[in-house]
C-alpha cells in the first residue's frame, strides 16, 4: 500500500512540477504539488515519503530537465512538513515554528549552492534583472507611473547586488506562504477523505488458528454460534450461526439484501466474530497461494493489472507457474490476454476476477454475487465452473447468490433471514409465480434522443484499439421506455456512457433535441451499474443535498421530496450510506439523479445484486416514474423479469451493432 501510494502521489507531484515549468504563469501549481506529498507524509512512514520524493525527482527531470526539480523539491519540503505535523496531531503553531527553524537553514543552503555554482547564479540573477527591467520599461511608458518604475528598477538592482541577503528573505516568504497554502489545501483534502472513508470490512484480527500458527489451512472451517456486530453499531448482523464447510463442497448462501450474506463471507475469509468461534486447521491465508480467494460484488475493485494477462498473475510470488491462457479459456475470456482491462465490460471484469482467484489455486473460494453482472449464458457457465471446482478439484466453494438457479447442484443451501440461518423454503428455491405487471404502453411522443451512425473505438489509432460500438442508429421518443439487451462485451455500457454524454463517440452523433448530448451533460442522467460509486457523501441526506446543489445550505424539504419520490422514508436523511441495503443505495442514487430533473434516465444493470422483492420494487418505481412523470427511460439489463412494465421496446446489441427486435422478446426472455 505504501509503495502504491508513493508511486501515484509521486506521479502527481512530478506532473504538476512539469506543468509549473512549461506553462507561463503556472508557478502556483508548485503549491498544489505539495498536497500529494503531504498525503504520503500524513498517512505513511518516512520511507514512503523518501521513495515518493526520489520517484518524483527522476520523473520530473526526465520530462522537463532541471527546471522542474525546484518545483518538485518545494512540493516535497512543504508537503512533508505539513503532512508530518498533521499526522502527529499538532496545529498551525507547530507548523509555523518549523518554518521559523527551517528558513535560516534553507537560506544558508541556497546561498552556498549559488556561491558554488557561480555561472548558474549569474544566469538566474540576470534573468530576474532583465524581466523586472523590461516590465518597468513598459510601465514607464505611462507618465503617472514613470517615477515608480524607475524606483522599482533601482531597488531590484540593489537587491540583486546583495543577493546573499535577498535570497534567504525570498526563501522565507515563499516557505511561509507555501506552508499556509499547503496547510489549507491538505486540511480540506484530509477532511473530505475522512468523511468518505468507510471501514475495511475485511480488516480485523485473524481468527480460527492457534496462536503462533502461520500455516495456511483455511478448510475445513466450522462456525459455532457465531455472531457479528460492526464497530459503532448496535444491531447484530449475524446471530448464532452454525456452519461447516469442507473441502470439495459447494455451499450456496441465499437471502434478502441486508440479511448478512456478505458478512458471513468475511468471517470465512478470516475476520474475527463478535461472538462464537470460527475453527480451522490454520490461517485463512486470504490472498495467499493455496489459501482463501474472494470474488467480490464489484469486480472493478479488485482489478489491478493494465492488461488482462497481467491482472491474472498480479501479486503472485515471482516464478509462480500459471497457465494464464488456460484460465482465461476456463472463464470465457479466451484470446483476451492482451486486452486493456479498462475496455472490459462489467461481466468480463467479473470473469477476470474469477480467473485471478483461480490463479492462486485456493483451498477455499468465496464468491460474493460473482454471477450478478454476467449474461445468462455466462452465468450458467460460471455456476457450472464453481460446481466443477468443488466436486472435481476438491476446492471448498461458498457462493452467495439471489438466483435460485445458482443453487442447483449445491451440496448445501444456507438461507439467511435477518442474520439467522433458517430452513430455505421450497417456494424461495423455485422463486414461485410472480404476479404479472401491467405492460408499458408504447410511446407516441416526438423523437428526443437520437443516435446517427455512432461508432466508438477505445484506444483508437493504437495497437490496443478495441471497438465498442459500430454504426449504431437509435431513436428514443419522449416518454418512451427502451430495453437494451446483449451479451457481455456487446457494447451496452459504452452505449450508456455515450447516451449520457460522458463519452464522445469517435464517429457519428448522439443528439438530444438536435444538439450533441456531450454539450448538455446532466440532461441525460446515468445510473451506474454499482450505485455505491455515485453515492459520494457519508449520509443519505448529505448525498441528495449535494445532488440538488444545496449541500452548503441543505433544503431539507427538497431532499425529503426527492427521497419520497423514489419510495424512501424522508427520515432516512441521517442514515450513513454504508448501512444501506443494495436496493436502498440504488434508490438514493436515483433520488439524486431525479432531483436534477433530467430529460432522460439511463440505467446500467439496475437490478444486478438485488433480491427479488427489491427488484420488483425498483421495477414498479421506474414504471410509476414513466407513467406519472412522463420520464424517458433507457434500461440496460441482463435481468428482464418485470421489465415489460417499464419498457415497450427492446433492442439488442451484438458486437457493438444494434438491431430492433419484436415486442415478444421480453416475454420469451422471462420464460
Amino acid at each position: 500500500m505504501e509503495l502504491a501510494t508513493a508511486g501515484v502521489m509521486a506521479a502527481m507531484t512530478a506532473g504538476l512540477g512539469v506543468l509549473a515549468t512549461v506553462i507561463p504563469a503556472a508557478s502556483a501549481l508548485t503549491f498544489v504539488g505539495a498536497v500529494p506529498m503531504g498525503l504520503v507524509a500524513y498517512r505513511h512512514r518516512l520511507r514512503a515519503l523518501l521513495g515518493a520524493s526520489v520517484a518524483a525527482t527522476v520523473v520530473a527531470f526526465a520530462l522537463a530537465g532541471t527546471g522542474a526539480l525546484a518545483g518538485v523539491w518545494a512540493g516535497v519540503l512543504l508537503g512533508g512538513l505539513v503532512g508530518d505535523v498533521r499526522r502527529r496531531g499538532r496545529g498551525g503553531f507547530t507548523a509555523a515554528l518549523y518554518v521559523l527553524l527551517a528558513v535560516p537553514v534553507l537560506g544558508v543552503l541556497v546561498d552556498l549552492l549559488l556561491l558554488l555554482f557561480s555561472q548558474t547564479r549569474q544566469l538566474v540573477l540576470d534573468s530576474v534583472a532583465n524581466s523586472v527591467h523590461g516590465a518597468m520599461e513598459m510601465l514607464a511608458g505611462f507618465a503617472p507611473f514613470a517615477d515608480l518604475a524607475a524606483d522599482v528598477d533601482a531597488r531590484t538592482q540593489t537587491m540583486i547586488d546583495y543577493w546573499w541577503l535577498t535570497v534567504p528573505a525570498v526563501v522565507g516568504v515563499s516557505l511561509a506562504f507555501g506552508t499556509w497554502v499547503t496547510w489549507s489545501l491538505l486540511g480540506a483534502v484530509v477532511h473530505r477523505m475522512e468523511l468518505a472513508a468507510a471501514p475495511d470490512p475485511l480488516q480485523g484480527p485473524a481468527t480460527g488458528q492457534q496462536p503462533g500458527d502461520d500455516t495456511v489451512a483455511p478448510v475445513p472451517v466450522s462456525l459455532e454460534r457465531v455472531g457479528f456486530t460492526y464497530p459503532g453499531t448496535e444491531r447484530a448482523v449475524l446471530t448464532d450461526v452454525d456452519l461447516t464447510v469442507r473441502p470439495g463442497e459447494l455451499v450456496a448462501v441465499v437471502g434478502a439484501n441486508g440479511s448478512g450474506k456478505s458478512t458471513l463471507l468475511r468471517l470465512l475469509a478470516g475476520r474475527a466474530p463478535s461472538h462464537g468461534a470460527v475453527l480451522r486447521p490454520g490461517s485463512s491465508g486470504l490472498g495467499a497461494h493455496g489459501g482463501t480467494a474472494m470474488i467480490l460484488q464489484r469486480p472493478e475493485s479488485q482489478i489491478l493489472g493494465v492488461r488482462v494477462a497481467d491482472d491474472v498473475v498480479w501479486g503472485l510470488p515471482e516464478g509462480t507457474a500459471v497457465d494464464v491462457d488456460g484460465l482465461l479459456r476456463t472463464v470465457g475470456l479466451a484470446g483476451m490476454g492482451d486486452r486493456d482491462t479498462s475496455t472490459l465490460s462489467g461481466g468480463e471484469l467479473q470473469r477476470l476476477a474469477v480467473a485471478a482467484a483461480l490463479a492462486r489455486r485456493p483451498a477455499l473460494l468465496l464468491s460474493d454475487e460473482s454471477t450478478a453482472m454476467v449474461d445468462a449464458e455466462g452465468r450458467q457457465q460460471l455456476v457450472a465452473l464453481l460446481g466443477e471446482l468443488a466436486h472435481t478439484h476438491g476446492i471448498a466453494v461458498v457462493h452467495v447468490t439471489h438466483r435460485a438457479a445458482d443453487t442447483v447442484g449445491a451440496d448445501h443451501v444456507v438461507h439467511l433471514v435477518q442474520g439467522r440461518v433458517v430452513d430455505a423454503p421450497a417456494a424461495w428455491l423455485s422463486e414461485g409465480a410472480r404476479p404479472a405487471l401491467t405492460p408499458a404502453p408504447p410511446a407516441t411522443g416526438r423523437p428526443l434522443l437520437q443516435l446517427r451512425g455512432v461508432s466508438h473505438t477505445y484506444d483508437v489509432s493504437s495497437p490496443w484499439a478495441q471497438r465498442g460500438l459500430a454504426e449504431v442508429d437509435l431513436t428514443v421518443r419522449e416518454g418512451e421506455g427502451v430495453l437494451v439487451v446483449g451479451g457481455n462485451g456487446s457494447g451496452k455500457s459504452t452505449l450508456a456512457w455515450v447516451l449520457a454524454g460522458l463519452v464522445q463517440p469517435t464517429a457519428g452523433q448522439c443528439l438530444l433535441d438536435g444538439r450533441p448530448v456531450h454539450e448538455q451533460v446532466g440532461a441525460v442522467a446515468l445510473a451506474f451499474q454499482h450505485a455505491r460509486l455515485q453515492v459520494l457523501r457519508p449520509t443519505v441526506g448529505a448525498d441528495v443535498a449535494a445532488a440538488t446543489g444545496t449541500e452548503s445550505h441543505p433544503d431539507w424539504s427538497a431532499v425529503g421530496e426527492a427521497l419520497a419520490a423514489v419510495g424512501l422514508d424522508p427520515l432516512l436523511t441521517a442514515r450513513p450510506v454504508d448501512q444501506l441495503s443494495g436496493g436502498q443505495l440504488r434508490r438514493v442514487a436515483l433520488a439524486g439523479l431525479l432531483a436534477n430533473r433530467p430529460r432522460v434516465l439511463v440505467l446500467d444493470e439496475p437490478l444486478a445484486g438485488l433480491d427479488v422483492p427489491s427488484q420488483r420494487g425498483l421495477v414498479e418505481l421506474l414504471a410509476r416514474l414513466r407513467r406519472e412523470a412522463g420520464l424517458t427511460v433507457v434500461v440496460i439489463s441482463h435481468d428482464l423479469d418485470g421489465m415489460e412494465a417499464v419498457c415497450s421496446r427492446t433492442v439488442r446489441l451484438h458486437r457493438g451493432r444494434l438491431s430492433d427486435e419484436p415486442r415478444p422478446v421480453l416475454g420469451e426472455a422471462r420464460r
Side-chain angles (χ1 to χ4, degrees):
M1 182 61 71
E2 283 185 324
L3 284 173
T5 303
V8 172
M9 296 299 128
M12 293 178 65
T13 296
L16 291 167
V18 170
L19 291 176
T21 302
V22 301
I23 299 179
S27 57
L29 290 176
T30 298
F31 299 122
V32 181
V35 175
M37 288 298 172
L39 285 174
V40 176
Y42 175 73
R43 304 191 68 178
H44 300 293
R45 295 173 291 179
L46 176 61
R47 66 180 67 183
L49 178 64
L50 294 176
S53 303
V54 172
T57 298
V58 172
V59 172
F61 179 76
L63 292 176
T66 57
L69 293 186
V72 169
W73 289 344
V76 170
L77 175 63
L78 294 172
L81 184 153
V82 173
D84 182 72
V85 171
R86 283 193 171 275
R87 181 170 61 85
R88 297 175 185 274
R90 308 291 174 82
F93 177 79
T94 302
L97 181 61
Y98 280 10
V99 170
L100 290 176
L101 294 175
V103 166
V105 176
L106 289 176
V108 171
L109 178 61
V110 174
D111 274 353
L112 289 175
L113 290 173
L114 292 177
L115 186 63
L116 181 62
F117 299 101
S118 57
Q119 291 183 340
T120 301
R121 180 188 73 238
Q122 194 61 46
L123 179 63
V124 171
L125 296 178
D126 288 346
S127 176
V128 172
N130 292 334
S131 297
V132 173
H133 181 69
M136 292 305 103
E137 280 194 337
M138 294 177 60
L139 187 63
F142 301 93
F145 301 104
D147 292 340
L148 175 63
D151 184 59
V152 171
D153 205 3
R155 290 179 182 275
T156 300
Q157 187 58 52
T158 300
M159 294 172 65
I160 290 176
D161 291 339
Y162 293 94
W163 61 267
W164 47 275
L165 292 176
T166 303
V167 168
V170 172
V171 168
V173 172
S174 300
L175 184 59
F177 178 73
T179 301
W180 174 74
V181 172
T182 305
W183 182 272
S184 302
L185 292 176
L186 184 61
V189 172
V190 168
H191 177 66
R192 180 56 61 89
M193 291 175 61
E194 290 174 346
L195 283 179
D200 184 351
L202 287 171
Q203 187 177 17
T207 182
Q209 70 269 15
Q210 297 299 319
D213 183 4
D214 296 327
T215 303
V216 174
V219 287
V221 55
S222 295
L223 279 65
E224 298 181 354
R225 309 287 293 177
V226 161
F228 188 82
T229 302
Y230 283 101
T233 64
E234 297 180 357
R235 185 179 68 87
V237 181
L238 293 175
T239 304
D240 294 336
V241 173
D242 292 312
L243 174 66
T244 297
V245 180
R246 300 178 179 84
E249 286 186 339
L250 172 59
V251 178
V253 181
V254 300
N257 291 123
S259 61
K261 302 185 302 298
S262 294
T263 301
L264 177 61
L265 287 196
R266 290 161 189 160
L267 297 183
L268 291 172
R271 182 156 186 172
S274 303
H275 307 286
V278 180
L279 306 177
R280 62 177 102 232
S283 72
S284 64
L286 181 60
H289 198 266
T292 301
M294 290 192 72
I295 309 165
L296 305 178
Q297 287 181 337
R298 286 170 42 195
E300 77 280 359
S301 66
Q302 61 187 124
I303 303 300
L304 300 173
V306 175
R307 294 188 317 140
V308 168
D310 296 334
D311 188 77
V312 173
V313 298
W314 187 279
L316 287 175
E318 187 175 354
T320 303
V322 178
D323 182 6
V324 174
D325 292 336
L327 286 174
L328 293 178
R329 281 195 303 272
T330 298
V331 299
L333 297 178
M336 296 175 62
D338 289 330
R339 279 274 298 273
D340 190 320
T341 54
S342 65
T343 67
L344 300 182
S345 68
E348 289 170 334
L349 287 173
Q350 194 67 279
R351 295 168 188 254
L352 177 56
V354 174
L358 296 181
R360 281 132 182 88
R361 298 182 181 177
L364 175 61
L365 179 63
L366 305 176
S367 162
D368 194 356
E369 291 284 356
S370 64
T371 60
M373 304 303 301
V374 184
D375 56 38
E377 180 181 356
R379 191 180 305 138
Q380 294 176 356
Q381 294 173 352
L382 280 180
V383 172
L385 173 61
L386 294 177
E388 181 183 353
L389 292 173
H391 302 142
T392 303
H393 299 279
I395 298 175
V397 179
V398 181
H399 177 48
V400 166
T401 181
H402 289 305
R403 303 175 185 277
D406 287 6
T407 66
V408 176
D411 298 290
H412 304 289
V413 177
V414 178
H415 189 195
L416 285 174
V417 176
Q418 296 183 350
R420 295 179 180 272
V421 177
V422 300
D423 292 334
W428 187 93
L429 290 176
S430 64
E431 292 187 350
R434 303 185 186 186
L437 298 171
T438 303
T444 57
R446 64 183 180 84
L448 178 63
L449 190 61
Q450 295 178 299
L451 278 73
R452 298 175 178 171
V454 167
S455 298
H456 186 71
T457 301
Y458 292 98
D459 300 322
V460 65
S461 301
S462 78
W464 303 277
Q466 184 68 32
R467 187 181 69 182
L469 295 174
E471 300 177 359
V472 172
D473 293 307
L474 176 66
T475 297
V476 180
R477 294 183 175 275
E478 194 170 35
E480 186 177 17
V482 177
L483 175 65
V484 181
V485 299
N488 292 130
S490 60
K492 301 189 303 300
S493 291
T494 302
L495 177 63
W497 284 69
V498 169
L499 289 173
L502 302 179
V503 167
Q504 187 173 352
T506 51
Q509 290 182 305
C510 180
L511 306 176
L512 178 68
D513 279 334
R515 289 177 51 210
V517 71
H518 69 266
E519 297 178 359
Q520 310 175 64
V521 173
V524 178
L526 173 61
F528 295 168
Q529 288 182 352
H530 301 288
R532 187 63 181 88
L533 295 179
Q534 58 191 140
V535 178
L536 304 177
R537 297 297 187 271
T539 64
V540 170
D543 191 82
V544 178
T548 60
T550 63
E551 184 177 14
S552 57
H553 298 88
D555 182 350
W556 294 116
S557 62
V559 171
E561 290 175 5
L563 292 174
V566 297
L568 288 177
D569 188 340
L571 295 177
L572 282 175
T573 52
R575 177 77 64 84
V577 296
D578 289 310
Q579 294 182 13
L580 301 178
S581 68
Q584 289 172 324
L585 269 176
R586 290 194 187 278
R587 289 172 183 258
V588 171
L590 280 177
L593 294 173
L594 296 174
N596 289 315
R597 303 185 183 280
R599 305 289 306 283
V600 182
L601 177 62
V602 180
L603 301 105
D604 193 359
E605 297 290 354
L607 304 184
L610 299 185
D611 55 32
V612 173
S614 297
Q615 287 184 1
R616 183 174 181 83
L618 186 56
V619 167
E620 292 175 344
L621 167 64
L622 295 174
R624 177 171 60 81
L625 290 172
R626 187 190 164 200
R627 182 177 61 252
E628 298 178 3
L631 185 65
T632 304
V633 179
V634 178
V635 179
I636 296 171
S637 183
H638 294 307
D639 301 285
L640 309 182
D641 286 303
M643 279 299 168
E644 67 271 26
V646 181
C647 303
S648 56
R649 180 160 61 105
T650 303
V651 295
R652 180 176 293 276
L653 269 172
H654 178 66
R655 295 184 178 179
R657 297 185 180 275
L658 195 65
S659 63
D660 282 297
E661 294 197 342
R663 175 66 182 81
V665 168
L666 280 174
E668 292 171 1
R670 288 192 66 186
R671 289 194 292 272

mmCIF file of all heavy atoms in Angstrom, residues 206-217 280-284:
data_model
loop_
_atom_site.group_PDB
_atom_site.id
_atom_site.type_symbol
_atom_site.label_atom_id
_atom_site.label_comp_id
_atom_site.label_asym_id
_atom_site.label_seq_id
_atom_site.Cartn_x
_atom_site.Cartn_y
_atom_site.Cartn_z
ATOM 1 N N ALA A 206 -7.225 -11.818 12.646
ATOM 2 C CA ALA A 206 -7.482 -13.124 12.058
ATOM 3 C C ALA A 206 -7.998 -14.064 13.134
ATOM 4 O O ALA A 206 -7.801 -13.862 14.321
ATOM 5 C CB ALA A 206 -6.211 -13.680 11.418
ATOM 6 N N THR A 207 -8.678 -15.087 12.694
ATOM 7 C CA THR A 207 -9.279 -15.982 13.668
ATOM 8 C C THR A 207 -9.228 -17.413 13.169
ATOM 9 O O THR A 207 -9.113 -17.671 11.986
ATOM 10 C CB THR A 207 -10.743 -15.588 13.946
ATOM 11 O OG1 THR A 207 -11.271 -16.455 14.935
ATOM 12 C CG2 THR A 207 -11.610 -15.737 12.717
ATOM 13 N N GLY A 208 -9.321 -18.338 14.103
ATOM 14 C CA GLY A 208 -9.511 -19.733 13.734
ATOM 15 C C GLY A 208 -8.301 -20.605 13.909
ATOM 16 O O GLY A 208 -8.409 -21.816 13.912
ATOM 17 N N GLN A 209 -7.095 -20.058 14.058
ATOM 18 C CA GLN A 209 -5.923 -20.889 14.215
ATOM 19 C C GLN A 209 -5.319 -20.701 15.598
ATOM 20 O O GLN A 209 -5.623 -19.753 16.295
ATOM 21 C CB GLN A 209 -4.873 -20.568 13.131
ATOM 22 C CG GLN A 209 -4.207 -19.225 13.288
ATOM 23 C CD GLN A 209 -4.947 -18.139 12.545
ATOM 24 O OE1 GLN A 209 -6.081 -18.319 12.152
ATOM 25 N NE2 GLN A 209 -4.274 -17.015 12.373
ATOM 26 N N GLN A 210 -4.470 -21.572 15.951
ATOM 27 C CA GLN A 210 -3.808 -21.481 17.244
ATOM 28 C C GLN A 210 -2.793 -20.345 17.229
ATOM 29 O O GLN A 210 -2.196 -20.041 16.194
ATOM 30 C CB GLN A 210 -3.088 -22.813 17.562
ATOM 31 C CG GLN A 210 -4.039 -23.993 17.702
ATOM 32 C CD GLN A 210 -5.029 -23.796 18.830
ATOM 33 O OE1 GLN A 210 -4.660 -23.301 19.888
ATOM 34 N NE2 GLN A 210 -6.277 -24.180 18.614
ATOM 35 N N PRO A 211 -2.581 -19.664 18.359
ATOM 36 C CA PRO A 211 -1.600 -18.574 18.413
ATOM 37 C C PRO A 211 -0.226 -19.043 17.949
ATOM 38 O O PRO A 211 0.253 -20.104 18.344
ATOM 39 C CB PRO A 211 -1.599 -18.178 19.890
ATOM 40 C CG PRO A 211 -2.942 -18.617 20.408
ATOM 41 C CD PRO A 211 -3.276 -19.863 19.647
ATOM 42 N N GLY A 212 0.381 -18.245 17.091
ATOM 43 C CA GLY A 212 1.712 -18.569 16.601
ATOM 44 C C GLY A 212 1.719 -19.518 15.411
ATOM 45 O O GLY A 212 2.765 -19.795 14.850
ATOM 46 N N ASP A 213 0.542 -20.016 15.019
ATOM 47 C CA ASP A 213 0.462 -20.936 13.888
ATOM 48 C C ASP A 213 0.179 -20.137 12.627
ATOM 49 O O ASP A 213 -0.919 -19.620 12.440
ATOM 50 C CB ASP A 213 -0.649 -21.956 14.133
ATOM 51 C CG ASP A 213 -0.724 -22.998 13.009
ATOM 52 O OD1 ASP A 213 0.139 -22.944 12.113
ATOM 53 O OD2 ASP A 213 -1.638 -23.834 13.037
ATOM 54 N N ASP A 214 1.174 -20.010 11.735
ATOM 55 C CA ASP A 214 1.006 -19.255 10.499
ATOM 56 C C ASP A 214 0.744 -20.159 9.308
ATOM 57 O O ASP A 214 0.770 -19.707 8.162
ATOM 58 C CB ASP A 214 2.258 -18.409 10.229
ATOM 59 C CG ASP A 214 2.462 -17.348 11.303
ATOM 60 O OD1 ASP A 214 1.443 -16.855 11.826
ATOM 61 O OD2 ASP A 214 3.621 -17.035 11.612
ATOM 62 N N THR A 215 0.504 -21.437 9.528
ATOM 63 C CA THR A 215 0.246 -22.372 8.445
ATOM 64 C C THR A 215 -1.046 -22.000 7.729
ATOM 65 O O THR A 215 -2.079 -21.789 8.350
ATOM 66 C CB THR A 215 0.127 -23.809 8.983
ATOM 67 O OG1 THR A 215 1.315 -24.131 9.693
ATOM 68 C CG2 THR A 215 -0.091 -24.790 7.846
ATOM 69 N N VAL A 216 -0.980 -21.905 6.400
ATOM 70 C CA VAL A 216 -2.175 -21.605 5.616
ATOM 71 C C VAL A 216 -2.985 -22.887 5.452
ATOM 72 O O VAL A 216 -2.563 -23.826 4.777
ATOM 73 C CB VAL A 216 -1.797 -21.024 4.242
ATOM 74 C CG1 VAL A 216 -3.036 -20.845 3.372
ATOM 75 C CG2 VAL A 216 -1.059 -19.707 4.406
ATOM 76 N N ALA A 217 -4.131 -22.943 6.090
ATOM 77 C CA ALA A 217 -5.019 -24.115 6.014
ATOM 78 C C ALA A 217 -6.437 -23.648 6.328
ATOM 79 O O ALA A 217 -6.899 -23.734 7.465
ATOM 80 C CB ALA A 217 -4.564 -25.198 6.993
ATOM 81 N N ARG A 280 -10.584 -23.639 12.351
ATOM 82 C CA ARG A 280 -9.977 -24.175 11.134
ATOM 83 C C ARG A 280 -8.574 -24.657 11.485
ATOM 84 O O ARG A 280 -8.015 -24.260 12.516
ATOM 85 C CB ARG A 280 -9.959 -23.125 10.024
ATOM 86 C CG ARG A 280 -9.150 -21.898 10.319
ATOM 87 C CD ARG A 280 -9.142 -20.954 9.103
ATOM 88 N NE ARG A 280 -10.068 -19.833 9.269
ATOM 89 C CZ ARG A 280 -10.989 -19.495 8.400
ATOM 90 N NH1 ARG A 280 -11.125 -20.218 7.287
ATOM 91 N NH2 ARG A 280 -11.774 -18.470 8.600
ATOM 92 N N PRO A 281 -7.960 -25.481 10.642
ATOM 93 C CA PRO A 281 -6.651 -26.071 10.984
ATOM 94 C C PRO A 281 -5.521 -25.049 11.071
ATOM 95 O O PRO A 281 -4.572 -25.237 11.834
ATOM 96 C CB PRO A 281 -6.391 -27.062 9.843
ATOM 97 C CG PRO A 281 -7.718 -27.313 9.223
ATOM 98 C CD PRO A 281 -8.511 -26.067 9.397
ATOM 99 N N GLY A 282 -5.580 -23.998 10.254
ATOM 100 C CA GLY A 282 -4.519 -22.990 10.256
ATOM 101 C C GLY A 282 -5.109 -21.623 9.993
ATOM 102 O O GLY A 282 -6.228 -21.331 10.402
ATOM 103 N N SER A 283 -4.355 -20.783 9.284
ATOM 104 C CA SER A 283 -4.862 -19.451 8.965
ATOM 105 C C SER A 283 -5.717 -19.506 7.704
ATOM 106 O O SER A 283 -5.617 -20.437 6.907
ATOM 107 C CB SER A 283 -3.705 -18.474 8.770
ATOM 108 O OG SER A 283 -3.030 -18.744 7.555
ATOM 109 N N SER A 284 -6.525 -18.472 7.518
ATOM 110 C CA SER A 284 -7.364 -18.428 6.315
ATOM 111 C C SER A 284 -6.520 -18.173 5.070
ATOM 112 O O SER A 284 -6.905 -18.558 3.969
ATOM 113 C CB SER A 284 -8.428 -17.336 6.450
ATOM 114 O OG SER A 284 -7.819 -16.063 6.532
#
